[in-house]
Amino acid sequence: MTAGTTPDGRLLVPLYVHPAVDPAAWQAVAAADPARISAVVINLADGPGEVPDHVFADAAEELRAAGLPLVGYADTDYGRRPHAAVVADILTYRQRHGITGVYFDQVATHPGALAHYRRLATAARAAGCGTVVFGHGEHPDPAYAEVGLADLLVTFEGDWDAYRAMTLPLWTGRHAASRFCHLVYDVPAESARDASALIAARRAGVGCAVPGAGENPWRTLPHGLTAAELT
């Protein structure tokens, strides 16, 4: 098993660093085996940004040319952000970067918001997104796993200590492991394999474990996907 991956080798990579700031990170992702990558989440400014960024666009095109699926980050503010604003982000990503999916972040977990997110998922698919990811960050109401809503539910996002203490709800066992993703940060290098094993044991078919911490831990690459480790 490669550190940082689940046993079936599927990684969701939140690439939340600008290519001008860390070009090596983007190059390392572009050099990765596409079979290992479920998707790369691109995120210019908590969304696609107000104006086109040609450096970002060129780097994203290199990822697409390498055969990596790109999903665009769109904040939903737990259902408070207007539907039209979120859809506008999707359309902008599609126009500028040719994304094939969308990562809805800060997705609500309560059943009262289901109708809102059902509309967003429908709009995303109508816009040409074949993959819809719901970034709950914790386990939502089981109804969010209904068929045809989201393809992937991020049911954990947090640090390594919190992940080790997490309790897995029984309802997740009624669904395929490929429906779930766990994102774990602040994972020391010596714990990378343990994190991968725990992601698999908790039936998350997609995962990511990174060493980063702080306000934006996703500025760092997953364990096992650094430029040095790929050479």
Side-chain angles (χ1 to χ4, degrees):
M1 183 192 309
T2 302
T5 70
T6 54
D8 64 359
R10 305 295 282 171
L11 275 168
L12 182 74
V13 182
L15 192 53
Y16 297 173
V17 61
H18 196 281
V21 174
D22 191 353
W26 284 70
Q27 292 162 9
V29 175
D33 180 358
R36 295 177 57 196
I37 309 295
S38 174
V40 179
V41 187
I42 58 172
N43 179 11
L44 178 59
D46 288 337
E50 294 296 324
V51 297
D53 181 319
H54 296 296
V55 173
F56 188 90
D58 289 346
E61 178 56 32
E62 289 185 15
L63 297 182
R64 288 205 314 124
L68 299 174
L70 301 185
V71 299
Y73 175 99
D75 183 17
T76 72
D77 194 22
Y78 302 104
R80 293 186 290 263
R81 192 161 178 238
H83 174 91
V86 179
V87 172
D89 280 356
I90 299 170
L91 297 176
T92 300
Y93 275 122
R94 285 282 292 164
Q95 179 184 22
R96 293 180 186 169
H97 308 300
I99 60 166
T100 57
V102 60
Y103 184 106
F104 291 122
D105 198 22
Q106 298 198 111
V107 174
T109 59
H110 58 89
L114 267 169
H116 174 71
Y117 285 102
R118 192 176 289 112
R119 287 182 64 221
L120 283 176
T122 299
R125 297 189 195 283
C129 292
T131 300
V132 173
V133 183
F134 279 179
H136 298 282
E138 59 183 310
H139 285 91
D141 185 272
Y144 280 92
E146 70 180 56
V147 175
L149 192 54
D151 302 286
L152 188 65
L153 304 178
V154 178
T155 52
F156 180 88
E157 182 178 353
D159 66 29
W160 177 225
D161 288 340
Y163 190 57
R164 286 183 292 176
M166 184 190 81
T167 300
L168 193 67
L170 292 177
W171 67 262
T172 60
R174 300 196 297 268
H175 302 277
S178 59
R179 298 289 310 283
F180 301 106
C181 175
H182 294 168
L183 301 178
V184 191
Y185 57 81
D186 202 9
V187 179
E190 62 271 19
S191 300
R193 292 186 182 278
D194 291 339
S196 297
L198 190 54
I199 289 170
R202 288 175 168 168
R203 297 190 68 256
V206 181
C208 186
V210 302
E215 185 176 347
N216 178 21
W218 309 113
R219 70 188 183 280
T220 60
L221 288 177
H223 287 292
L225 203 65
T226 67
E229 291 165 312
L230 288 168
T231 57

